[in-house]
Amino acid sequence: MTDTNNPVRHLLGLSGGKDSAALAIYLRDKVPEMEYFFADTGAELPETLAFVDLMADYLGKKIIRLNAGRDFDYYLKLNGNFLPTARSRWCTVSLKLKPFEQFVGDDPVISYVAIRADETHRTGYISTKPNITAVYPFKEDGLIKEDIVRILEESGIGLPKYYEWRSRSGCYFCFYQQKIEWIGLYENHPEYFEKARAFELFHKNEGRDHTWSQSESLDEMLARKDDIKAKFQAMNKGEKSKNLMDAVINDEDEDDGDEGCLICFK
Ligand code: SF4
């Protein structure tokens, strides 16, 4: 029985990525009481923020901006200045998951998750909070990647612009980036590349070898810029993919099998 004093809330988190955007479009008329939110880390790309704004216009509703109240630098200090890694992903917990759980509070909530029917390996972030129930409309209705691209195209929204040089949404310094994406960051947003580089230089000055990419520093990567670009082109030679936008559509580069970061990238 529904508690009229505490009615069930319907929540959909936009990550700035294509799947959550397509899910919002898909459900717009099916769940009119939907509350949309975006957990802003304060380190988002301008393209991501513009895409979220575009979605707000399309949906005709406010997209609530969640933030952790403190920025990345604060949590970095709290974590002993250690940059987050895939194994120690304190950034997702502090900047995405906790703000989400605070937003939910103790209300009974249905959380709409944008995992597709062709992503059998993924389960997504399931909160341990007993008042949150996750549902998977794309899985339930059998929608796969081609359907998601079609939904975005038919709505007129299209794919986010950053897909031209980057395969995911998320922080500009995200350690999940491929090397070609770091080069894309350098070429499209040199000021952000420089900020990411400054984190590495801080560690270097402290006598530590701590880098965003596990295998090399951003300086080393930059020195190999042409090589990295040539390798990316060679890998895609003769294939449909010419840039990351095509790679995303053709399912070559996007998935990392990491369910905890769906909240950042989906
Ligand atoms: S986008 Fe990357 S760096 Fe940002 S919170 Fe998610 S995992 Fe961490």
Side-chain angles (χ1 to χ4, degrees):
M1 189 188 294
T2 306
D3 178 354
T4 49
N5 293 322
N6 210 5
V8 174
R9 292 169 66 193
H10 295 259
L11 302 187
L12 197 160
L14 289 155
S15 67
K18 70 181 188 320
D19 294 300
S20 57
L23 185 61
I25 295 166
Y26 185 64
L27 296 176
R28 184 183 66 168
D29 300 326
K30 293 186 173 88
V31 189
E33 67 272 47
M34 190 77 84
E35 295 174 58
Y36 302 97
F37 69 90
F38 170 67
D40 187 342
T41 64
E44 309 288 344
L45 289 168
E47 292 94 322
T48 305
L49 299 176
F51 188 67
V52 172
D53 286 346
L54 188 64
M55 285 301 300
D57 289 345
Y58 179 89
L59 296 166
K61 269 196 176 179
K62 186 176 168 60
I63 294 173
I64 298 154
R65 296 281 175 105
L66 308 183
N67 68 62
R70 307 275 194 155
D71 63 8
F72 176 82
D73 288 17
Y74 169 81
Y75 289 105
L76 183 64
K77 275 193 194 132
L78 209 62
N79 284 277
N81 279 315
F82 278 93
L83 299 177
T85 65
R87 287 193 174 183
S88 175
R89 214 176 42 234
W90 54 259
C91 50
T92 313
V93 175
S94 300
L95 299 169
K96 297 273 185 181
L97 301 187
K98 282 192 179 161
F100 169 65
E101 291 197 334
Q102 272 166 14
F103 177 56
V104 167
D106 295 324
D107 297 337
V109 154
I110 296 179
S111 171
Y112 293 79
V113 183
I115 297 179
R116 307 184 308 259
D118 54 342
E119 295 180 298
T120 49
H121 60 293
R122 284 186 154 163
T123 54
Y125 165 65
I126 311 284
S127 174
T128 51
K129 292 189 77 157
N131 51 320
I132 301 177
T133 305
V135 294
Y136 305 89
F138 285 158
K139 277 181 115 168
E140 285 156 19
D141 296 348
L143 270 69
I144 60 173
K145 180 174 276 191
E146 286 72 20
D147 297 310
I148 272 60
V149 174
R150 179 182 45 77
I151 288 170
L152 287 168
E153 280 173 358
E154 285 179 0
S155 69
I157 293 281
L159 287 162
K161 289 280 174 270
Y162 59 77
Y163 278 150
E164 287 168 11
W165 56 274
R166 183 177 157 120
S167 66
R168 311 157 194 272
S169 51
C171 305
Y172 68 84
F173 47 60
C174 185
F175 45 86
Y176 280 114
Q177 281 176 91
Q178 305 160 56
K179 291 177 199 284
I180 189 70
E181 294 175 287
W182 278 111
I183 300 305
L185 182 68
Y186 174 75
E187 292 184 338
N188 288 278
H189 293 291
E191 71 285 12
Y192 289 133
F193 185 91
E194 195 51 45
K195 280 169 88 172
R197 185 172 165 267
F199 287 113
E200 290 191 348
L201 291 181
F202 168 80
H203 282 282
K204 197 173 177 185
N205 292 337
E206 297 283 310
R208 287 189 296 265
D209 187 18
H210 197 34
T211 53
W212 291 107
S213 168
Q214 296 303 300
S215 56
E216 61 186 341
S217 69
L218 294 182
D219 280 343
E220 288 165 328
M221 225 183 273
L222 203 52
R224 297 194 310 107
K225 178 162 75 81
D226 293 342
D227 180 43
I228 291 168
K229 288 172 85 168
K231 274 192 182 141
F232 180 77
Q233 290 299 337
M235 266 167 48
N236 292 300
K237 202 176 173 188
E239 303 291 328
K240 284 188 217 161
S241 301
K242 294 183 184 64
N243 57 30
L244 284 164
M245 172 87 81
D246 293 326
V248 168
I249 295 168
N250 295 327
D251 210 6
E252 294 165 14
D253 285 295
E254 180 199 26
D255 295 341
D256 59 21
D258 191 284
E259 60 193 46
C261 274
L262 291 176
I263 199 162
C264 301
F265 306 134
K266 263 310 206 173

